Amino acid sequence: MSQAATLTALLSGPDQPGLVARVSGKIFELGGNILHADQHRDMEEGIFFQRIEWEPRSAYTHEEESNAFKAFADNLGMSAQVTSSKHRTRVALFVSKEDHCFHDLVLRWKAGEYNADLVAVVSNHLVIADAAKSYGLPFHLIAFEPGELGKRKAEDVQLKLLEELKVELVVLARYMQVLSADFLKRFGKPVINIHHSFLPAFAGGKPYHQAHERGVKLIGATAHYATEQLDEGPIIQQDVVRVTHRHGVPDLVRKGRDLEKTVLAQAIRWHLQSRVLVYGRKTVVFD
Amino acid sequence: MSQAATLTALLSGPDQPGLVARVSGKIFELGGNILHADQHRDMEEGIFFQRIEWEPRSAYTHEEESNAFKAFADNLGMSAQVTSSKHRTRVALFVSKEDHCFHDLVLRWKAGEYNADLVAVVSNHLVIADAAKSYGLPFHLIAFEPGELGKRKAEDVQLKLLEELKVELVVLARYMQVLSADFLKRFGKPVINIHHSFLPAFAGGKPYHQAHERGVKLIGATAHYATEQLDEGPIIQQDVVRVTHRHGVPDLVRKGRDLEKTVLAQAIRWHLQSRVLVYGRKTVVFD
Amino acid sequence: MSQAATLTALLSGPDQPGLVARVSGKIFELGGNILHADQHRDMEEGIFFQRIEWEPRSAYTHEEESNAFKAFADNLGMSAQVTSSKHRTRVALFVSKEDHCFHDLVLRWKAGEYNADLVAVVSNHLVIADAAKSYGLPFHLIAFEPGELGKRKAEDVQLKLLEELKVELVVLARYMQVLSADFLKRFGKPVINIHHSFLPAFAGGKPYHQAHERGVKLIGATAHYATEQLDEGPIIQQDVVRVTHRHGVPDLVRKGRDLEKTVLAQAIRWHLQSRVLVYGRKTVVFD
Amino acid sequence: MSQAATLTALLSGPDQPGLVARVSGKIFELGGNILHADQHRDMEEGIFFQRIEWEPRSAYTHEEESNAFKAFADNLGMSAQVTSSKHRTRVALFVSKEDHCFHDLVLRWKAGEYNADLVAVVSNHLVIADAAKSYGLPFHLIAFEPGELGKRKAEDVQLKLLEELKVELVVLARYMQVLSADFLKRFGKPVINIHHSFLPAFAGGKPYHQAHERGVKLIGATAHYATEQLDEGPIIQQDVVRVTHRHGVPDLVRKGRDLEKTVLAQAIRWHLQSRVLVYGRKTVVFD
C-alpha cells in the first residue's frame, strides 16, 4: 500500500554469511529506504532467497538503479530480477469455453487489483468473444486445425501475437489446450495455469470426475507455472473446499468454479507483485 | 443429544418409490418416535441410503425391535444394521511409536466423547506401554519376527486377541504396519486407519517427505476404512492445513499431528454414531 | 440435481410424535416420490422443522398439490410453504456504489446457478447503471432527498416498483442505506443483506475499520435476513478469512470483497432452493 | 529448525530511514550470521517492528552479545528484547476444572514442541491435581475464600509462588477466574488467556450459550494477552469452526474444545519463539 514508486528485487543464489547485511547495506548506500524485506534459506540445498522492496531516493532512474543493483547481485553470485512499481506487466489471457475465471480476472483488473495491462484475450473458440469485447478487450480467435501440425501452426500464430504485443505473462484461465514444450521454450516467459484439482491428486483430464469417483471429502484447485510436464509445474497456490456424498459431478464443477477463481486470482496477484521465486519444482512465495 | 435410549438403523439397497414413507411408517407402527432421519439417493447407481434414529416405545426389548426392523428391511430388499444407544462398541487401538493420536483418542474417550469401551491397546513396540498403563488400559505387545511368516504369526496372535475380547472396531492410530488381506478378511469387522496425506495424493510411505518434495501449499490427513488395497479404502474424513516454503519436513510432521488427531477423532465419532455407510470405494456420511 | 419438476415443502410447528411418518405418508398417499427429506427438532423450544422435496405423480397441478399439502399441514398445526421447481423467484437487487457483489450475482445468474429472474436493479446512485444495462438488466435510479421525509418518499417509490414487478425477494448487494422498519413491514417478503463483518462482532458502520482497530486475526462476512434491528436479523451464512498485521484497511476491504461475494451468493442459493427456515432470531438451513 | 544456538531480537520504535540496513549491519559487525529477519511498518503510526534471528559467532557469551545489541538499539531509540535459544522460558499453567487445554499443552511440551519448562500447575480446584501429578508436574492448590478480600489473599499467594519459581509466562488454560488489574501489574510479565469465542463477539461469560442464542454459523476461540480490561487484550491468534442449527450448546462446547486447544497452543508457540510484539491493543506476529 506504499504510495511512492518503489523497486522490488527478487534474489536467489548460494547461501553465504552476511548476505542480509550486504544487500540492505547496498540499498542504503544507493540512498534507498527499505520498505519490506523477506528472506528464506533452503537449509538442505544451501540456497538463499530474498525479496526486498525499497523507495529509491537517488538521482538515478528506476532503470539505472535496477541495473546498479543487478550488477551488485551478480558480483555476489546471486541472480536478481528488479521490477519498478511504475511498470505495468503486459498480460495475455488464454481461454476456451469456461468463462468464470475470465470474468473474475477482468473484474479484478477493472477494480484496480492488478498492476497490469490486459493486452489480449486469446481463444480457440468464439464463446468468450462477445464478453471480451463488452469489456473493451481485444479478442483473438486462433483456431486449431486437427493433428500435430494444426497445433504447431496455431502455436506459431499465438507466439507471433505474444511477441508483437510484448506480452510478459500468459495466464491460462481454464484454457483447455496443452501448450507444447516448444511453445513454452520459445515464449520464454512465465505461464500460469489453473488446474481444477488439489495436485498432485487427480492430474490430467476430468479431475472432478476423478474426485467424485474416488469419494474424496474435499476438492481442490491448484495454480502453477506451466512446464513441459503437464500438471507438474511449480505450485504457487492451492485451496480446497468441503464436499459430501450429496454432491454430484455438476455440484463439484459449480463449487470448484469459486475455488478456481480465487486460487488463480491470488497466484496472479503474487506473481505481479514479484512475490514468487521458482526453484526446481517448487516456489518460494513471499506473501 | 437425546437423553432416552434410541435405536439407529443404517439402510441401503435398490431405490424404489415410497421407501421414505414405508420406513417411517414401520417405525410409527412399532410405536417409535423418529428423532432424526436422513437419506441419500445415488441417482447414477440407483441406490437408496438412509440413517434413521428413533426412540422405541414398544414393549419389545431393543434386540427384539432391532430384529423386527431388520426383518422388515429384508422384505424390502434392503440391508440394515440397527444399533442401540445402550450398546458400547468394543474398540482396540493399534499403535506403534507415534503417540499423539493415541493420547488424543484416549483423552476424548475419558472425556465421554465416545460411546465405546477401549478394550485393548496393541503394539509391536513398547514405546506406548507405560502411557497405556497410566490410563488403566490393557497393553498387548505383539512383536513381529522378520519375514512373511513372522507377520502371519503375529497376525494370528492379534486375531485371537480380538476374538477373545469381542472387538468390534480396530483403530489404527498411526500403526506403522500394513494389515494383510487375510487379516482383514478373518477379522471381518471395520478397521479405521489414519493416513498422513490428502489421499489419493501421496499414498504409500513418507507422505510428508513426498509433500515437501513436491512443494504443495497444503498438507492433509485422511481417515479411511482399511481394505486390501493399501490407502485405497473408502474415505470417511479428510482435512488440510496450509504450509509454506518455510516449513521443512519436521514442521510438516508437527503440523500434521494436529490434523491427524482431529481427522481420526471425527471419523471414529461418526463411525460409533452409526453415521457411515460404505458402498464400493466410497462412504455416505450422515453428519 | 433431479431433472423432473418437484415440489418442496418447508414445515414448522410444535413437535409431536409421528410427524415424520405422517408427512411422508401424506406424500405417498398423494402418489409422490420423496427425493429428499431433512428435519430438525429444537429440543429446548419443542419445535419441529422439516424440508421435504418430492416428485409429484398425481393428476393434480403443482398448485393443487401444494394446496392439498398445505391443508394437510394446517390440520397438523404446522405452517407450511410449498414451492414448485417450475417457479422462478422474482428478485430485485439493491445496490449503491460497490459493484463486486452485483457482478458476482449477475454472472452466477447468467451461468444458471439460480432458479430466479432478476427483474430489477435499484440504486440511489448511477455508478452501476451502465454495468446493469450491459447485462440487459433494467436499472432504476431512486435517489434520496435529504432527511427523513426524503427517505420515506424514496421508499414509497421503491415499494411501488417492487409491487408492480411482483418482486418476491430483495437482495441488498452492498446497498449502503438502512431500510426502515416501515419498508420491511410493507414489503412483507424476505430481504437478504450482506454485512461485511462476522456478526455480532463489528455491527454498524465501517466494520473493516473497526476490525483493523481491534487487531483481529480473521475478518468475516455475514448474510442475514434484514429486520427492524440493524445487523440483528437471522443469520443465514457466515465465513471468515485470515488477516495479519500486514493488512491495512484497504487490504481488508479487498480480501473482504471475495468473502462478501461467496457468503451472499451461498445465502441466496439456499434461500432460492427453499432451504432456509427462520424462527426467532435464528435460521435452520437444510443444506 | 536451526541446530546451532541463536539469538532473537524483537525491536520496535519510531520508523526512520535505513533501520533495516543499520540493524543487519550491526549484527554483521558482531560477526553474526542472520538466519531470519522480518519487519513491519505501521504506516499510520510511523512505528517500525522487527524480528531478527542470528547465529552469533563472536567470542561474547549470549548475554554479552544481547547486551551489546540492546545498547545499540537503545542508541537508535528502539526498544529491544533479545532471547537466546539456550534459554528455556519458565511457564506456570493456571487451570480450573476443564482439562482439555491442560492435557494438550502438557503433551505438546512432552513431545518437545516448546522450548520451555513447566514449573507449576496452579488451580483453585483439585480436579486436575491427579493428572498433573501423573505427568510429574508440581500442582499447587490455591483456593479462593469468598469476597474481594478472599481473592486478594489468593492472588498474594499466587504472586509469591510465581516469584519464587521465577515464572516468566503465565498461561490461563481455561482458568475460570478473572485476574485483577493489581495482579497483572505486580506480576509484570506476560499472561496468555484463551477465550472461547471469536472476540470481540461474545466477550464475558458463557460465550457458547451466547453464540447458540444468536444463531451464528461459526464459533471461535481467541488467544490474547490478559490486560486489565477483560477480553480486551491484544489478540495473538484466533480461529473458527463451522456449526449448524443441529448443534446444541453441548456440541458447541465439544467442538470448541478442539479449537481452544489449537489456538492456545499456537499462541504459546509464537510467544515462546519471540514472534509476538505488542503495541497498543494489537499484536504483530512474525510467523
Side-chain angles (χ1 to χ4, degrees), chain A residues 212-215, chain B residues 42 44 234-235 277-284:
Chain A
H212 186 250
E213 166 79 17
R214 179 64 187 90
Chain B
D42 186 314
E44 296 151 33
I235 293 168
L277 263 165
V278 173
Y279 74 116
R281 297 171 68 201
K282 295 190 190 181
T283 61
V284 169

Side-chain angles (χ1 to χ4, degrees), chain D residues 35-95:
Chain D
L35 297 178
H36 301 288
D38 201 356
Q39 57 277 326
H40 174 62
R41 272 182 178 76
D42 186 314
M43 303 286 192
E44 296 150 32
E45 312 268 344
I47 314 178
F48 176 84
F49 304 91
Q50 192 175 39
R51 179 185 187 272
I52 191 158
E53 183 175 359
W54 72 95
E55 217 179 313
R57 295 174 171 189
S58 66
Y60 295 128
T61 63
H62 276 205
E63 198 183 344
E64 288 165 346
E65 185 149 336
S66 296
N67 289 337
F69 187 85
K70 279 190 274 194
F72 158 79
D74 202 50
N75 274 337
L76 280 177
M78 312 287 284
S79 73
Q81 311 158 236
V82 187
T83 312
S84 164
S85 64
K86 290 191 272 190
H87 176 73
R88 292 176 68 81
T89 304
R90 296 174 69 79
V91 178
L93 299 183
F94 279 37
V95 297

Side-chain angles (χ1 to χ4, degrees), chain C:
Chain C
M1 289 296 116
S2 57
Q3 309 302 346
T6 60
L7 289 173
T8 302
L10 281 175
L11 284 154
S12 59
D15 195 14
Q16 46 187 300
L19 280 176
V20 174
R22 271 188 247 180
V23 172
S24 53
K26 178 66 187 179
I27 291 166
F28 192 55
E29 181 198 313
L30 286 164
N33 187 31
I34 296 169
L35 296 177
H36 302 286
D38 202 355
Q39 57 277 325
H40 174 62
R41 271 182 179 75
D42 186 313
M43 302 286 192
E44 296 151 32
E45 313 268 344
I47 312 178
F48 175 85
F49 304 90
Q50 191 174 38
R51 179 186 188 272
I52 191 157
E53 184 175 359
W54 72 95
E55 216 178 311
R57 295 174 170 189
S58 66
Y60 296 129
T61 64
H62 276 205
E63 197 180 347
E64 288 163 346
E65 186 150 336
S66 296
N67 289 336
F69 188 86
K70 278 190 274 194
F72 158 80
D74 202 51
N75 274 337
L76 280 177
M78 312 287 286
S79 72
Q81 313 159 236
V82 187
T83 312
S84 164
S85 64
K86 290 191 271 188
H87 177 73
R88 295 175 66 82
T89 303
R90 296 175 68 80
V91 178
L93 298 182
F94 278 37
V95 299
S96 289
K97 294 178 178 173
E98 296 276 353
D99 64 359
H100 53 285
C101 286
F102 167 76
H103 282 294
D104 186 68
L105 294 175
V106 175
L107 288 167
R108 287 175 195 277
W109 170 71
K110 278 174 144 355
E113 282 191 26
Y114 294 139
N115 187 27
D117 289 327
L118 296 188
V119 297
V121 179
V122 175
S123 184
N124 54 333
H125 292 287
L126 276 169
V127 177
I128 291 177
D130 283 351
K133 285 167 199 164
S134 79
Y135 289 123
L137 295 172
F139 179 87
H140 302 265
L141 177 69
I142 302 179
F144 280 57
E145 286 166 47
E148 197 51 39
L149 187 63
K151 180 168 183 162
R152 273 172 55 192
K153 275 191 192 170
E155 289 195 344
D156 284 343
V157 179
Q158 290 171 343
L159 283 162
K160 190 150 169 269
L161 179 70
L162 297 178
E163 196 178 359
E164 280 170 13
L165 294 173
K166 298 188 170 56
V167 168
E168 297 161 293
L169 171 69
V170 165
V171 174
L172 307 179
R174 295 299 309 271
Y175 178 67
M176 301 310 282
Q177 301 291 321
V178 178
L179 299 178
S180 72
D182 184 59
F183 178 98
L184 292 169
K185 198 174 159 190
R186 286 163 67 195
F187 177 49
K189 299 201 182 69
V191 175
I192 295 178
N193 183 41
I194 179 77
H195 183 79
H196 38 313
S197 84
F198 178 74
L199 288 174
F202 311 130
K206 293 198 171 285
Y208 293 131
H209 288 80
Q210 293 183 57
H212 186 250
E213 166 77 18
R214 180 62 188 90
V216 289
K217 302 300 187 188
L218 300 165
I219 56 166
T222 303
H224 64 93
Y225 289 110
T227 59
E228 289 188 34
Q229 276 73 41
L230 185 65
D231 300 331
E232 291 281 323
I235 294 168
I236 309 171
Q237 170 71 333
Q238 302 187 288
D239 209 353
V240 295
V241 69
R242 198 156 286 282
V243 296
T244 75
H245 58 273
R246 293 186 200 288
H247 296 101
V249 170
D251 300 300
L252 302 193
V253 169
R254 175 180 56 73
K255 288 177 84 87
R257 285 200 296 254
D258 282 347
L259 263 188
E260 296 161 29
K261 289 188 294 190
T262 51
V263 167
L264 180 58
Q266 178 69 81
I268 294 172
R269 181 179 304 110
W270 281 333
H271 178 87
L272 292 174
Q273 294 178 343
S274 297
R275 295 184 179 279
V276 192
L277 262 165
V278 173
Y279 73 117
R281 298 171 69 202
K282 296 191 192 181
T283 61
V284 169
V285 178
F286 292 116
D287 69 330

